[in-house]
Amino acid sequence: MSLRVTNARWYPKYHIAAPGGWINDPNGFCFYKGQYHFFYQHHPHSTQWGPMHWGHAVSEDLVHWSHLPIALAPGEEYDRNGCFSGCGIEKDGKLYLMYTGHVDLPERTPEGVGTCQTQNLAVSEDGIHFSKIPENPVIRAPESDEVNQGDFRDPKVWKHGDKYYVVVGSRTPDFSTGQVLLFESDNLIDWKFKSIAMRAEGNEGNMIECPNFSNIEGKDILICSPQGIKREQNMYMNLYQSGYFIGKLDYDTGIYSHGDFELLDYGFDFYAPQFTKIPDGRTIMIAWLQMWYSRLPEDVDGWAGMMTLPREIHMRNGRLFSQPIKELESLRTSEKSYDNQIFYEDTKFDGVEGETGELILEIDLAETKEFEIDLRRSDEEKTVLSYSADLQLFKINRDKAGAGGDGERECPIAAADKMKLQIFLDRSSVEIFINDGEAVMSSRVYPLTEATDIVFVPTSGTFKIDSLKFYTLGEGIPQPVID
Ligand code: FRU
């Protein structure tokens, strides 16, 4: 029996989450026959990770989602311990899913390999029912002394010219260094190993999970989720990271030359992002709003894990910016607006509060050298955002945020005359977009339902807000029926 949500206190109103059970990575995010399809790693029978299935949701606008039946379940020889992460692509009017078949070996090999991972295809003509194809597995780990034979997963396919390419996450045989493998095919079924497209350097990790590749405004962008990056001062404080490289793939040699690794999000909870190009040319990214092995208090309510909002990715000043997609405006149900507010003590604004909602602020930093904004505040609880122009750091602190993890995360934001913040609250999540997507911080928080205040705190005397808007938001995901 699939689990169902038994208490909606932390269940999102407008973020993708499963109807019950465990979820992790986004999978197969694509546009097919007029709808956006979004799949996810899913264990329907438990709130813990287990044999992975692919859950499935569809939407016509990337905002309002409906659940569809589970698309993939483990069961074949090559995927008997799980259908791990992968992608979706349309070919000849059919929707193909490429995923990793995961098998646990009865014991480790002398080289330390404990798994067999292969890439496999499932196909559908209606976008709902999928059949695994008889040719599976279509890609096995290349027998090379530079490729680990166990960790070989998370394919992402795209078409370039008249050929198909796929990147697959990998590491070296000694488990020390992450790398991305590239394969090439004429027909999506027969694949040839092309190259080790890139290998981690310095502190870039010992395994690359979930590589995704896309050309954005003329640059080849690799996003990926490396494991094993070590903390550097207050950077890389999460267990695993997700970030991007900007570069160029040479399709003749298969070599990807690129710049430095940059983070995609500075919050506590962001992993395994996946992006897709949609028909109007935008690149849209969704990630798991979670981090491996963090505490998930919602598991007592029959569910565990949710996704980020869809974000539009674009290049600006040689960096990737991520902004909430404009379609999310259709969720807005009412608006409160305040202009030119200057105050010297803790301040609340009438109608600016809630367990869900969207807050847009333009702050005059010339007058506001330091500030704090307390979200989801009650007498006992608060999730604290703060900025200091002296330190040039924006922070989120969860020490008093309720159940769940605590601690602080920060991101560098240069001092300027103004700062723009767009903040989404959704019962157990906070996403903060700073300066139109220059940096984003995404985190889970688990306050009491009644902790709804938003309090503006002038920590160095003056707080000046040029404009403040607060929107109440409607539903984007079916709400659990609790009996
Ligand atoms: C990333 C990941 C993937 C794998 C999946 C298993 O979070 O570890 O590498 O395919 O999760 O659920």
Side-chain angles (χ1 to χ4, degrees):
M1 268 284 285
S2 295
L3 284 187
R4 284 289 173 265
V5 177
T6 54
N7 183 333
R9 59 189 156 165
W10 290 313
Y11 194 79
K13 239 172 113 175
Y14 57 91
H15 285 75
I16 299 172
W22 164 274
I23 68 175
N24 56 286
D25 312 359
N27 290 159
F29 185 23
C30 66
F31 183 79
Y32 174 68
K33 288 191 179 164
Q35 288 186 310
Y36 297 99
H37 288 256
F38 185 87
F39 305 82
Y40 48 85
Q41 290 283 278
H42 186 33
H43 190 203
H45 311 302
S46 155
T47 55
Q48 309 295 314
W49 188 85
M52 281 292 107
H53 297 55
W54 278 36
H56 189 186
V58 281
S59 170
E60 260 143 49
D61 59 3
L62 288 166
V63 178
H64 300 90
W65 296 90
S66 319
H67 295 298
L68 284 181
I70 285 172
L72 296 176
E76 303 299 321
E77 199 54 23
Y78 50 82
D79 64 15
R80 63 168 183 267
N81 299 117
C83 299
F84 277 15
S85 287
C87 60
I89 189 167
E90 179 174 353
K91 177 174 178 276
D92 305 330
K94 298 179 186 157
L95 178 55
Y96 284 84
L97 304 180
M98 186 184 274
Y99 69 97
T100 299
H102 173 82
V103 174
D104 291 314
L105 300 180
E107 59 188 59
R108 284 187 185 272
T109 67
E111 295 75 33
V113 170
T115 57
C116 174
Q117 299 186 328
T118 56
Q119 315 319 320
N120 301 282
L121 286 166
V123 63
S124 170
E125 301 207 23
D126 61 5
I128 301 174
H129 305 94
F130 291 85
S131 332
K132 298 171 186 173
I133 69 165
E135 293 86 343
N136 284 338
V138 292
I139 313 180
R140 294 175 189 276
E143 285 173 23
S144 152
D145 57 11
E146 294 194 79
V147 174
N148 189 293
Q149 296 299 301
D151 290 298
F152 175 59
R153 57 181 176 270
D154 311 335
K156 169 73 182 185
V157 180
W158 72 99
K159 200 168 181 199
H160 180 80
D162 51 11
K163 285 194 193 303
Y164 294 92
Y165 292 86
V166 63
V167 279
V168 183
S170 166
R171 70 196 331 170
T172 50
D174 65 359
F175 298 84
S176 72
T177 311
Q179 58 192 13
V180 173
L181 309 185
L182 181 70
F183 298 79
E184 189 181 72
S185 169
D186 293 324
N187 59 9
L188 208 60
I189 308 240
D190 303 300
W191 290 90
K192 196 174 87 210
F193 175 47
K194 176 105 184 152
S195 58
I196 298 174
M198 64 81 73
R199 189 171 270 173
E201 288 168 19
N203 187 21
E204 287 174 357
N206 56 30
M207 169 68 201
I208 292 188
E209 295 194 308
C210 303
N212 263 227
F213 189 83
S214 184
N215 188 281
I216 301 180
E217 292 150 42
K219 300 283 183 194
D220 290 333
I221 309 293
L222 177 73
I223 60 171
C224 59
S225 296
Q227 298 181 323
I229 290 185
K230 295 185 193 69
R231 178 173 170 178
E232 293 175 6
Q233 280 109 32
N234 289 349
M235 280 277 282
Y236 308 138
M237 287 172 71
N238 294 340
L239 178 62
Y240 304 139
Q241 319 302 321
S242 292
Y244 66 92
F245 295 95
I246 300 178
K248 177 121 203 81
L249 177 63
D250 181 328
Y251 280 89
D252 292 329
T253 60
I255 300 303
Y256 178 63
S257 26
H258 58 82
D260 292 339
F261 180 73
E262 301 284 348
L263 288 179
L264 278 162
D265 192 290
Y266 291 83
F268 289 89
D269 296 294
F270 181 93
Y271 198 62
Q274 196 164 81
F275 48 35
T276 190
K277 235 187 199 18
I278 64 171
D280 67 11
R282 287 178 295 163
T283 300
I284 310 294
M285 175 177 77
I286 299 182
W288 182 33
L289 215 176
Q290 205 64 68
M291 183 44 59
W292 278 108
Y293 311 115
S294 56
R295 198 147 31 112
L296 297 179
E298 73 263 34
D299 63 1
V300 297
D301 298 338
W303 66 287
M306 61 186 277
M307 298 296 161
T308 65
L309 288 176
R311 300 167 185 190
E312 180 183 342
I313 303 295
H314 57 95
M315 296 272 309
R316 195 185 299 163
N317 307 331
R319 300 190 40 211
L320 284 195
F321 274 55
S322 23
Q323 282 180 286
I325 55 167
K326 63 176 187 315
E327 286 87 338
L328 290 163
E329 291 173 13
S330 69
L331 287 172
R332 295 174 182 172
T333 47
S334 75
E335 174 183 329
K336 280 273 172 191
S337 175
Y338 296 87
D339 288 334
N340 297 321
Q341 301 291 318
I342 182 155
F343 46 93
Y344 308 94
E345 51 196 39
D346 294 12
T347 299
K348 290 198 284 185
F349 293 92
D350 200 29
V352 180
E353 60 178 352
E355 46 156 8
T356 66
E358 178 187 356
L359 176 66
I360 301 182
L361 285 172
E362 281 177 27
I363 300 169
D364 183 339
L365 286 185
E367 301 284 335
T368 318
K369 291 290 168 219
E370 253 183 51
F371 65 83
E372 184 179 301
I373 301 171
D374 299 342
L375 305 170
R376 304 299 310 268
R377 188 163 132 176
S378 63
D379 287 346
E380 294 82 34
E381 294 180 341
K382 57 181 178 177
T383 298
V384 181
L385 313 184
S386 61
Y387 181 69
S388 153
D390 277 353
L391 300 175
Q392 310 207 45
L393 289 176
F394 194 98
K395 298 184 183 177
I396 178 168
N397 185 302
R398 290 199 300 201
D399 286 345
K400 294 191 179 152
D406 53 11
E408 190 164 81
R409 294 290 181 269
E410 64 184 39
C411 71
I413 298 289
D417 286 347
K418 307 278 177 197
M419 173 178 283
K420 186 169 173 203
L421 299 177
Q422 187 172 8
I423 299 169
F424 288 87
L425 300 171
D426 195 4
R427 291 205 180 117
S428 60
S429 68
V430 181
E431 285 162 282
I432 306 141
F433 296 83
I434 305 168
N435 294 337
D436 294 315
E438 173 188 341
V440 191
M441 301 183 95
S442 306
S443 300
R444 299 297 302 278
V445 289
Y446 298 90
L448 296 170
T449 307
E450 51 272 25
T452 54
D453 281 355
I454 299 178
V455 182
F456 297 85
V457 182
T459 39
S460 68
T462 311
F463 203 142
K464 181 159 185 281
I465 293 177
D466 292 341
S467 86
L468 180 163
K469 289 191 191 327
F470 184 78
Y471 299 95
T472 52
L473 300 177
E475 287 168 13
I477 189 89
Q479 293 300 290
V481 179
I482 318 264
D483 28 56

